[in-house]
Amino acid sequence: EAPHIYKINGYYYLLIAEGGTGFNHCVTIARSKNVEGPYENNPNNPILTHRHLGRDFPVWNVGHADIVETPENDWYLVCLASRPYDGYSNLGRETFLAEMIWEDGWPVVNPGEGRLLEEAPHKLPLVPYQRPEKRMLAQDSPEYVYLRNPYMENYDKRVRNGWLRLHPTNVDLTMHDSPTYLGIRQESMYYDFQAKADANLKDGEEAGIVILQSDEYSMRLVITPSKDTYEVKMITILGGEENVVKSINVSNSEVVFGFRGIRQKLTAYLLVDNSEVVVADDIDTHYLSTEVAGGFVGCTLGIYAYSPHSKDKGYVDFEWITMKDLEKHAQKSLF
C-alpha cells in the first residue's frame, strides 16, 4: 500500500493514496525526471476521489490505485472503493476499473466524468466465467478463506466421500487464534447462503454457519445437542458481547442452514424436508459494517465448529455450500 512509482516517457510518476481509507480517500500523482525527486505536484490533483459527491452517492472511499497499460497501448486505472447500503459498508473494499488517458503528461481518469462509472468503457478481452452456485466442500477452491494460520488437520476430506469433516476445537470466533472455520467473501447485500451439514456432536459443542466481520462482530446459526433432541440457535456477537437472539428445537442432526440477506436485514432459517423454517428474522446487520465494527476488509460467510472439550470430541460433516446472488432481482441501479 505504499506509493507506486512508474517510469513513463522519461518521467518517474509517484501515485499516492491520501486521505485515509475512509470517506476522504483519494488518488493523487506527482512526477519527476529524477527518481529521487524533487517531485512536481499535478495541478489537477486529486485525479480521482468521491469525497466531493456526498454520502448519498453509492460508492465511497475511493483510493489506493494502480495504473495499467495494455499491449494495445490503452491505459486503465484500477482502484479500491466501497459500496454502502443504507449508509453502511459491509462488503469491504472492492476493485473498480476506470479508463485513463494522458493530457499534458498527466493522467485523466474517465475523461469528461472524473469519477467511477457503473459501466466503464474498455477494450479489454472478455473471458466468460460461470461461478458455480454450489460448491462441493470436498473439493478445493481458491475462494476458500480461513482465519489466520489454519490447523489443516481439522479439515478432513478423506474420511467421508464427498463431504468435508470439521473437527471442532476449543478456539472460538472471539479468540486471536484459528478456529475451525472455512469461508467465502461476501460480495453482495442481496444473497442467499446455504450449507448442508450432518452433525455428530457432544454436549456443549456447536456447528453451523457464520457471518464474520472480526473477533468482536459476527453472527452465527448453529446446532447443538440438547437432551434427546437438538437445539438450533441464532447468536450474535456485537462489540464482543454474545447474545442468543432466538432458538428452536429440531429432531434431526442433518440440516441445511441458511442466511438470506436483503440489504441490512438478515433472515436465519433451516430447510427441513425442503420446507423453510425461520429461526430468526429481521436481524440488523449494519453492526457488521466498517462504520460500526471498524476495519475495511468486509465480511465472510462460512462454516464453523466449536467444542469446549480438550478430548473426546464430536465432529460435523458438511457436504456443500451455496451462495445465490439475489442482487439482479433487486433491480437497483448503483449510479
Side-chain angles (χ1 to χ4, degrees):
E1 294 203 346
H4 299 173
I5 296 179
Y6 312 84
K7 188 175 184 181
I8 302 169
N9 295 330
Y11 278 102
Y12 292 94
Y13 286 90
L14 191 65
L15 191 68
I16 307 160
E18 293 188 20
T21 52
F23 188 77
N24 292 314
H25 210 17
C26 67
V27 182
T28 60
I29 196 165
R31 71 184 183 185
S32 175
K33 289 285 188 178
N34 188 325
V35 70
E36 296 181 351
Y39 280 81
E40 170 193 4
N41 188 55
N42 181 358
N44 296 321
N45 274 333
I47 61 171
L48 182 63
T49 187
H50 280 201
R51 63 191 180 194
H52 63 298
L53 299 176
R55 294 188 180 273
D56 288 336
F57 199 76
V59 177
W60 295 354
N61 311 339
V62 178
H64 278 114
D66 206 353
I67 293 174
V68 178
E69 182 186 14
T70 71
E72 293 74 30
N73 302 120
D74 297 312
W75 293 85
Y76 296 94
L77 182 136
V78 291
C79 65
L80 299 180
S82 302
R83 292 183 290 162
Y85 289 82
D86 305 317
Y88 299 91
S89 51
N90 300 54
L91 302 179
R93 306 184 69 212
E94 302 173 284
T95 305
F96 288 76
L97 175 72
E99 184 185 27
M100 199 188 84
I101 64 171
W102 294 89
E103 287 186 355
D104 301 323
W106 295 108
V108 177
V109 180
N110 278 341
E113 296 287 348
R115 59 178 176 85
L116 297 175
L117 304 176
E118 184 173 17
E119 294 184 0
H122 66 81
K123 302 173 185 176
L124 301 171
L126 298 177
V127 181
Y129 173 70
Q130 184 66 42
R131 175 177 289 169
E133 184 176 297
K134 178 174 285 188
R135 299 155 173 86
M136 306 307 294
L137 290 169
Q139 302 171 2
D140 292 326
S141 170
E143 288 187 88
Y144 296 158
V145 295
Y146 302 89
L147 277 173
R148 305 176 184 89
N149 298 316
Y151 303 106
M152 294 308 298
E153 62 270 20
N154 296 324
Y155 306 85
D156 192 337
K157 295 179 290 186
R158 297 170 298 178
V159 67
R160 183 175 178 181
N161 186 38
W163 295 65
L164 173 66
R165 177 162 296 180
L166 298 189
H167 294 286
T169 70
N170 53 14
V171 177
D172 66 31
L173 296 169
T174 68
M175 297 178 179
H176 294 174
D177 202 338
S178 187
T180 303
Y181 174 78
L182 180 149
I184 58 176
R185 297 195 178 279
Q186 182 181 349
E187 297 179 348
S188 172
M189 294 296 288
Y190 300 84
Y191 66 89
D192 200 341
F193 176 78
Q194 296 180 355
K196 182 180 178 181
D198 185 6
N200 189 334
L201 299 171
K202 303 292 181 65
D203 289 344
E205 298 178 337
E206 65 177 40
I209 60 175
V210 180
I211 308 176
L212 180 75
Q213 203 274 354
S214 69
D215 56 294
E216 293 191 342
Y217 289 87
S218 64
M219 298 180 177
R220 68 188 190 272
L221 180 66
V222 293
I223 190 170
T224 186
S226 178
K227 296 183 180 179
D228 297 327
T229 184
Y230 299 90
E231 186 178 14
V232 174
K233 301 177 184 179
M234 179 62 204
I235 303 171
T236 63
I237 298 178
L238 305 178
E241 295 186 8
E242 183 166 299
N243 177 52
V244 178
V245 178
K246 196 172 180 181
S247 64
I248 64 171
N249 289 326
V250 296
S251 58
N252 198 339
S253 63
E254 185 170 311
V255 295
V256 174
F257 297 98
F259 278 150
R260 184 166 53 252
I262 303 296
R263 297 181 73 90
Q264 296 293 354
K265 296 298 181 181
L266 179 73
T267 298
Y269 66 91
L270 302 177
L271 289 183
V272 180
D273 298 326
N274 293 319
S275 296
E276 183 174 307
V277 177
V278 174
V279 181
D281 200 7
D282 204 35
I283 303 166
D284 191 345
T285 59
H286 90 277
Y287 297 104
L288 305 181
S289 68
T290 291
E291 289 71 24
V292 176
F296 46 76
V297 296
C299 297
T300 61
L301 292 101
I303 56 175
Y304 166 71
Y306 167 77
S307 174
H309 312 306
S310 57
K311 57 183 180 179
D312 298 326
K313 302 174 187 176
Y315 59 86
V316 58
D317 294 336
F318 282 91
E319 186 178 19
W320 48 257
I321 58 175
T322 66
M323 175 63 86
K324 184 182 296 183
D325 189 347
L326 307 178
E327 190 153 14
K328 61 183 178 180
H329 303 298
Q331 297 181 344
K332 175 184 179 295
S333 177
L334 281 178
F335 292 78

